Amino acid sequence: RAKTDGRGVLRFFEQALDEAARQRRELELDLREAVAQGQFTLAFQPIFDLKADRIGGFEALLRWQHPTRGWLSPTEFIPVAEETGLIVPIGEWVMREACRTAIRWPEHVRIAVNVSALQFRSPGFQSVVLQALAASGLEPRRLEVEITESVFLDGEGPVVALLHRLRAMGVRIALDDFGTGYSSLSYLRSFPFDKIKIDRSFVIPVAEDKSAAAIVQAIIDLAAALKTDTTAEGVETEEQLAALRAQGCGTIQGYLFSRPVDAGAATTMLATPMHAVA
Ligand code: C2E
Ligand code: MG
Ligand code: MG
Ligand code: MG
């Protein structure tokens, strides 16, 4: 009986694996079509500058209108795009579209673009950035490239060299999801980032939990000592905002201030004075 059970379980897992593999292949085929068919759009989430009391920039966030499954979140398809290398052409489209949109905004407003490790390490990445800037006419200082420490996993040397080349062009570099990786602190020594984005997992409990608050304070103080800006990600409540403000956090991003919006709404938002209360 045990044997039969075992085989049954095995068959169940085999079927589940087949199904997962099938779905993955289907997603891959659909992804190949998506760039050509223009199924991607960008959403823009404001990053609010607490000291200047205005929007300092927007983060571009990829959205996919799948022909049958509707709107898909990047967390559902970016992993497959990375495994298949499709993130390279997709990321190129994102870079161009983000710069093209940002050129319509006032000069103090930046655009932050997420770049996955594989895209960042692809041979053409620097020229993609150059071409997106040239085609749009956007000043390099208005572009902020967001990377995570995963770009360093296969060796730091070439990555740090590329970061310096981008910086020499005038592009800003942000370290995203800070605190969630394995050895974030060592990467802060490898390269002088322009910004550290404090991961949402620390921001969520910042108003209630003493240790989360201590960690956030330490990140903010560390960034200040390194002359690096900070953005708190995923701020949803007035209590979190008040805590972060008291801690000296420079900029905030999250549903409290605004969800990601389309390009038209972003432009309207810039024309409307807004204030972060608390
Ligand atoms: P991320 O770069 O850390 O982006 C922040 C994510 O948090 C976004 O999710 C945003 O919508 C969400 N968020 C912002 N404020 C709040 C909040 O107050 N509460 C909650 N619960 N969530 C909030 P999204 O758009 O689903 O993107 C998820 C991730 O997908 C991004 O995380 C980024 O790693 C990746 N991604 C998005 N767009 C791109 C892209 O164009 N290229 C690449 N390579 N990755 C992208
Ligand atoms: Mg990001
Ligand atoms: Mg993030
Ligand atoms: Mg994140």
Side-chain angles (χ1 to χ4, degrees):
R1 223 167 68 95
K3 237 182 188 171
T4 330
D5 281 349
R7 231 177 274 137
V9 168
L10 187 62
R11 202 171 312 119
F12 171 80
F13 277 119
E14 277 169 357
Q15 280 167 0
L17 281 174
D18 283 351
E19 177 57 16
R22 195 190 59 76
Q23 283 183 9
R24 200 187 152 288
R25 266 199 308 277
E26 212 170 87
L27 193 64
E28 180 184 342
L29 291 175
D30 292 350
L31 267 176
R32 288 192 190 279
E33 292 286 302
V35 174
Q37 308 281 334
Q39 292 166 3
F40 290 118
T41 55
L42 292 182
F44 299 90
Q45 188 179 33
I47 300 172
F48 195 84
D49 184 329
L50 289 172
K51 297 200 179 83
D53 199 28
R54 65 180 181 185
I55 293 171
F58 287 86
E59 178 174 7
L61 295 161
L62 189 57
R63 299 289 180 264
W64 181 15
Q65 169 97 74
H66 186 279
T68 55
R69 295 168 63 191
W71 289 105
L72 294 186
S73 148
T75 52
E76 293 176 74
F77 63 85
I78 295 259
V80 175
E82 280 173 353
E83 286 164 37
T84 54
L86 287 166
I87 193 65
V88 174
I90 294 170
E92 179 169 352
W93 178 84
V94 171
M95 187 61 73
R96 286 178 164 272
E97 185 69 11
C99 292
R100 211 172 63 83
T101 306
I103 193 71
R104 299 179 219 146
W105 300 336
E107 283 199 349
H108 74 272
V109 182
R110 294 195 188 112
I111 182 72
V113 178
N114 291 287
V115 175
S116 80
L118 199 116
Q119 184 194 355
F120 189 82
R121 300 177 68 102
S122 69
F125 180 67
Q126 190 180 349
S127 60
V128 166
V129 174
L130 274 168
Q131 280 169 22
L133 290 170
S136 61
L138 192 76
E139 276 180 81
R141 61 168 184 85
R142 294 179 60 190
L143 174 64
E144 193 163 73
V145 167
E146 290 193 8
I147 56 170
T148 62
E149 62 183 65
S150 62
V151 301
F152 295 109
L153 284 183
D154 295 325
E156 283 186 35
V159 169
V160 171
L162 175 54
L163 288 171
H164 280 292
R165 290 202 300 280
L166 291 169
R167 167 72 65 65
M169 287 164 49
V171 171
R172 287 167 53 92
I173 313 287
L175 188 56
D176 203 354
D177 302 341
F178 186 78
T180 57
Y182 291 102
S183 49
S184 311
L185 290 180
S186 79
Y187 299 124
L188 294 183
R189 278 194 61 210
S190 307
F191 184 77
F193 289 92
D194 296 286
K195 175 184 277 187
I196 291 171
K197 299 192 76 170
I198 306 170
D199 194 71
R200 195 164 78 86
S201 55
F202 300 107
V203 171
I204 291 168
V206 72
E208 295 108 49
D209 183 292
K210 280 211 172 81
S211 35
I215 290 168
V216 169
Q217 186 69 69
I219 298 172
I220 291 169
D221 293 345
L222 174 64
L226 296 169
K227 300 194 167 39
T228 300
D229 296 339
T230 41
T231 295
E233 298 191 286
V235 180
E236 292 187 359
T237 70
E238 295 286 352
E239 290 73 25
Q240 291 163 351
L241 172 62
L244 291 160
R245 197 195 278 284
Q247 290 181 316
C249 185
T251 61
I252 56 146
Q253 179 180 358
Y255 295 170
L256 175 66
F257 191 70
S258 169
R259 289 187 175 250
V261 297
D262 67 28
T267 305
T268 307
M269 212 181 268
L270 287 169
T272 320
M274 288 198 203
H275 305 282
V277 260

